[in-house]
Amino acid sequence: SDLDSNSVNSETNRLLQNMSPKKTSGVFSAQDGQLTFIRNFILIALLAQNSGYTLLRKLSTSTEDVSSREVLLMGEFIKLFVSAIAVLNSTEPSSSEGKGLSKLIWVISNSKKMMVLAGIYLAMNVLSFVSLTYIGAGEFSVCAQLKILTTAGCSVVVLNTSLSATKWRALGLLVVGCVLVISPSLELQQKSAGSVSQFSILFFGYGAVLLEVLLSGFASIYFEKVVKSTTEVVTIWERNMQLSFYSIIIYMCMISYDCNFAETPKVLGQNWSWLTMAVAFLGAFGGLLVAATLKYADSILKTLATAGAIVVSTVLGHFMLGSPLNYIMALGAACVIFAIFNYTLDATPKSEVIAPTTRGSVEPPSPSRDDKKKSSFSDA
């Protein structure tokens, strides 16, 4: 009949269309390649920025007497200015309303999520100050490397990320390598220690730094989750502007305390130089790169770039600033490099990676009788 012939013809056309090559596959592969290039470029730029920032900051602290909080405040002002210019000239889709000044006001007034993140950063600064009061700088630096593992753990718990055994082993090796690289500072701290602190004081100091490390890992994942949120359309520049706004308020309060209530009051803007301005600009550039890294990569890859920067800055610091470099540090650098390649080149099949389960996960529905009939008809 005519009905049967039409059904056969339509089914034949559908099968021929499925057999024809997909024209859009090349488009998707090109987009994937472009995203991979952007991600790698941002990670390399972040590694270079961290290395240069560490070297300039070390040079600045050894030759100048400038408040580090003033430098950070200037960096936040630079980030706020650059982000505001980018927001006003951005053509990216966004949920922001208005134009010009009204648009900037809307971005600031709808920034509660960034206010939470700024509060976490404030708590981290307070905890680091408390921990350095009761333990040495070397012990603090060693414990700080645990943020690599806390970031990975928070990524698994909060973002439901799946990590293979190879990646976990690489992250553990990364921590070991970072500890070996910073080992000279620990040795100097032990030599300069005049007496053994009480156990309760050490316990309080280590508790503070471990809590700071845990907050650091959570803050990175929280920022990544906010940047990659699909419930609201907010650009990277708008997020940077929101975070800078609240960070400026926090640093201004700290500097106000230093200038008025500290034992040795400081004068705002004292002893500044072109080197200090360079440190502030490079720090602001790093803040902008972090947001881009969380947008196009993830927090764990950000920690890889930061760990690689420790090695680069240590080697360059030895040749440029006369910093110590021994075979233990060289071994640590080798561990970091091997861990980075081991993590990024992990070829573990996805079938062998057990994804973390969450509540409310629903099993895929079994095919109904009608679906089975359709399937058998198409096979025929």
Side-chain angles (χ1 to χ4, degrees), residues 126-165:
V126 173
L127 287 170
S128 62
F129 176 79
V130 171
S131 61
L132 286 172
T133 304
Y134 295 102
I135 64 176
E139 290 88 343
F140 177 84
S141 300
V142 171
C143 294
Q145 306 312 314
L146 294 176
K147 66 180 63 176
I148 297 172
L149 295 180
T150 58
T151 302
C154 290
S155 178
V156 172
V157 174
V158 178
L159 300 180
N160 206 28
T161 305
S162 301
L163 296 178
S164 64

Side-chain angles (χ1 to χ4, degrees), residues 134-203:
Y134 295 102
I135 64 176
E139 290 88 343
F140 177 84
S141 300
V142 171
C143 294
Q145 306 312 314
L146 294 176
K147 66 180 63 176
I148 297 172
L149 295 180
T150 58
T151 302
C154 290
S155 178
V156 172
V157 174
V158 178
L159 300 180
N160 206 28
T161 305
S162 301
L163 296 178
S164 64
T166 301
K167 283 184 167 58
W168 280 112
R169 184 178 66 244
L171 293 175
L173 184 61
L174 196 66
V175 174
V176 174
C178 290
V179 171
L180 292 177
V181 169
I182 64 173
S183 58
S185 62
L186 179 59
E187 294 176 0
L188 292 175
Q189 178 65 28
Q190 290 176 344
K191 291 180 181 179
S192 61
S195 60
V196 180
S197 301
Q198 298 179 359
F199 175 77
S200 59
I201 296 179
L202 289 176
F203 180 80

Side-chain angles (χ1 to χ4, degrees), residues 90-325:
S90 176
T91 57
E92 298 181 48
S94 174
S95 301
S96 58
E97 301 174 358
K99 294 182 179 180
L101 183 59
S102 61
K103 183 177 182 180
L104 299 180
I105 295 175
W106 186 95
V107 171
I108 296 299
S109 59
N110 292 270
S111 57
K112 295 180 180 179
K113 293 181 178 180
M114 290 295 100
M115 181 173 62
V116 173
L117 186 61
I120 296 175
Y121 286 153
L122 175 61
M124 289 168 54
N125 287 328
V126 173
L127 287 170
S128 62
F129 176 79
V130 171
S131 61
L132 286 172
T133 304
Y134 295 102
I135 64 176
E139 290 88 343
F140 177 84
S141 300
V142 171
C143 294
Q145 306 312 314
L146 294 176
K147 66 180 63 176
I148 297 172
L149 295 180
T150 58
T151 302
C154 290
S155 178
V156 172
V157 174
V158 178
L159 300 180
N160 206 28
T161 305
S162 301
L163 296 178
S164 64
T166 301
K167 283 184 167 58
W168 280 112
R169 184 178 66 244
L171 293 175
L173 184 61
L174 196 66
V175 174
V176 174
C178 290
V179 171
L180 292 177
V181 169
I182 64 173
S183 58
S185 62
L186 179 59
E187 294 176 0
L188 292 175
Q189 178 65 28
Q190 290 176 344
K191 291 180 181 179
S192 61
S195 60
V196 180
S197 301
Q198 298 179 359
F199 175 77
S200 59
I201 296 179
L202 289 176
F203 180 80
F204 189 75
Y206 281 114
V209 68
L210 291 178
L211 182 57
E212 189 264 341
V213 165
L214 182 61
L215 285 178
S216 175
F218 176 77
S220 298
I221 299 304
Y222 177 83
F223 195 13
E224 179 182 350
K225 186 176 180 64
V226 171
V227 169
K228 294 181 178 179
S229 175
T230 57
T231 57
E232 56 182 349
V233 182
V234 181
T235 65
I236 299 178
W237 298 111
E238 292 170 350
R239 289 301 186 197
N240 272 311
M241 181 180 171
Q242 294 171 346
L243 184 58
S244 297
F245 175 78
Y246 291 109
S247 299
I248 287 173
I249 296 176
I250 292 174
Y251 286 128
M252 288 184 69
C253 293
M254 292 181 176
I255 293 173
S256 177
Y257 175 82
D258 291 339
C259 294
N260 297 291
F261 302 102
E263 295 181 359
T264 55
K266 297 182 179 180
V267 179
L268 186 64
Q270 188 178 12
N271 300 326
W272 274 65
S273 67
W274 289 107
L275 177 60
T276 312
M277 287 298 302
V279 174
F281 271 100
L282 202 55
F285 179 61
L288 298 174
L289 277 178
V290 167
T293 303
L294 298 179
K295 178 69 175 180
Y296 293 101
D298 55 50
S299 299
I300 301 178
L301 290 177
K302 179 179 73 71
T303 60
L304 293 181
T306 305
I310 295 176
V311 174
V312 174
S313 60
T314 300
V315 175
L316 293 180
H318 172 72
F319 292 103
M320 299 174 61
L321 303 178
S323 301
L325 182 64

Side-chain angles (χ1 to χ4, degrees), residues 48-59 282 309-310 313-314 321:
Q49 182 274 335
N50 273 275
S51 303
Y53 183 64
T54 301
L55 292 175
L56 286 182
R57 187 173 55 180
K58 183 179 295 185
L59 180 61
L282 202 55
I310 295 176
S313 60
T314 300
L321 303 178

Side-chain angles (χ1 to χ4, degrees), residues 343-357:
Y343 186 95
T344 55
L345 300 179
D346 178 27
T348 304
K350 292 184 178 180
S351 58
E352 297 182 10
V353 180
I354 302 177
T357 58

